[in-house]
Amino acid sequence: MLAVGLAFLIQWVGFAMAYALRTEKFFDLTGSITYISVTILAVLLSPVIDDRSVLLLAPVLIWATRLGTFLFGRIQKAGKDERFDEIKTSFPRFLNTWTLQGLWVTFTAAAALVGITSTTRKGLGWLALIGFVIWFLGFAIELMADTQKSAFRADPANKGRFIDTGLWAWSRHPNYFGEIVLWIGVAIIALPVLRGWQFVALISPVFVTLLLTRVSGVPILERRADEKWGGQEDYEAYKKRTPVLIPRPPATD
């Protein structure tokens, strides 16, 4: 409860500063700082800090630090996030966006937070190892996809083009696939110590999947891509041969 309360407190403080400055430049960075803060708080307030707590803490810290710095650097280069062009001038809409980020942190990190604070303690076993391997696989996919896209955009020769190389030849949104996979891994690590109502925390990877595939991720980017390149022969061919999310090796002639 304290961790969840802290998640919303950080968002509202961030909102107050952002609204006063009429900027969205540290929105994503604040989200990452929130993940780091609430997870560390959960560990520090736990009566016992065991190996599973550390194993749940480390992946969240690594993922949040990497993603936060990546998104912050990206918006610094871009100068703005066009999603906020209209929202940031409206007090209620901008506040609602920050509040929803608090919910995003709460539901996404639910399995890690409940696993860390659970009174049930068990030694690490094969399930924890499987969970960590799955997390690492998802993290590696997300990192590689983001790195490939950044390099593609940095090349002046690719200006105005869509990326269809590397992992992006296997999936139209490999970074989102990686993020879903890594949170499945975190949930598996937490699973052995969940009891009773705590199994509700397994909503974490389900929430991430629904959010990225039905709400704020894939639908928005697919719509923007269709607006930019829809009707172009190469783009339509790319869409036809490349899965939306789950990677599949490109067909060879």
Side-chain angles (χ1 to χ4, degrees):
M1 290 177 62
L2 288 173
V4 171
L6 178 61
F8 284 97
L9 178 61
I10 293 174
Q11 300 314 303
W12 293 331
V13 170
F15 159 74
M17 297 172 58
Y19 185 73
L21 298 172
R22 296 296 193 275
T23 182
E24 73 282 13
K25 288 187 177 181
F26 52 89
F27 178 78
D28 291 316
L29 182 62
T30 302
S32 294
I33 291 173
T34 306
Y35 276 104
I36 294 170
S37 301
V38 300
T39 311
I40 290 177
L41 178 67
V43 171
L44 293 178
L45 295 182
S46 295
V48 177
I49 302 176
D50 61 358
D51 292 340
R52 191 178 306 275
S53 297
V54 175
L55 189 58
L56 286 168
L57 171 66
V60 176
L61 295 188
I62 294 170
W63 169 81
T65 301
R66 201 288 304 182
L67 186 62
T69 53
F70 169 74
L71 293 177
F72 184 68
R74 187 174 69 180
I75 197 171
Q76 289 297 105
K77 290 180 181 179
K80 69 171 186 175
D81 186 334
E82 60 185 23
R83 296 175 302 171
F84 293 87
D85 285 349
E86 296 180 5
I87 297 175
K88 65 186 177 184
T89 59
S90 168
F91 183 93
R93 292 180 66 190
F94 203 31
L95 174 60
N96 185 56
T97 301
W98 286 82
T99 302
L100 287 175
Q101 182 161 252
L103 284 174
W104 170 57
V105 173
T106 299
F107 283 113
T108 302
L113 295 177
V114 174
I116 290 171
T117 59
S118 175
T119 56
T120 302
R121 299 291 168 173
K122 294 183 66 175
L124 297 178
W126 61 269
L127 206 56
L129 176 60
I130 291 175
F132 180 77
V133 170
I134 291 175
W135 171 84
F136 182 81
L137 176 63
F139 179 78
I141 291 173
E142 184 178 48
L143 174 61
M144 188 180 301
D146 285 340
T147 301
Q148 290 175 347
K149 193 168 188 177
S150 294
F152 180 86
R153 287 179 169 176
D155 186 348
N158 295 324
K159 185 176 182 179
R161 297 178 54 202
F162 61 90
I163 182 171
D164 60 352
T165 56
L167 290 179
W168 300 85
W170 292 52
S171 166
R172 301 210 294 272
H173 303 279
N175 53 336
Y176 289 156
F177 174 76
E179 183 155 337
I180 291 169
V181 169
L182 70 86
W183 286 111
I184 291 174
V186 171
I188 292 174
I189 296 172
L191 182 60
V193 297
L194 303 183
R195 296 292 183 272
W197 69 267
Q198 294 176 336
F199 283 104
V200 173
L202 295 179
I203 194 176
S204 169
V206 177
F207 172 78
V208 173
T209 301
L210 292 176
L211 181 68
L212 293 179
T213 61
R214 295 290 184 267
V215 183
S216 67
V218 172
I220 294 176
L221 293 183
E222 285 286 300
R223 184 171 63 251
R224 289 179 182 172
D226 287 343
E227 291 172 353
K228 289 182 179 179
W229 302 294
Q232 295 183 17
E233 185 176 348
D234 55 348
Y235 174 69
E236 296 298 338
Y238 171 69
K239 285 186 66 176
K240 186 175 181 179
R241 70 175 181 265
T242 310
V244 174
L245 185 69
I246 300 176
R248 183 183 66 214
T252 57
D253 296 331

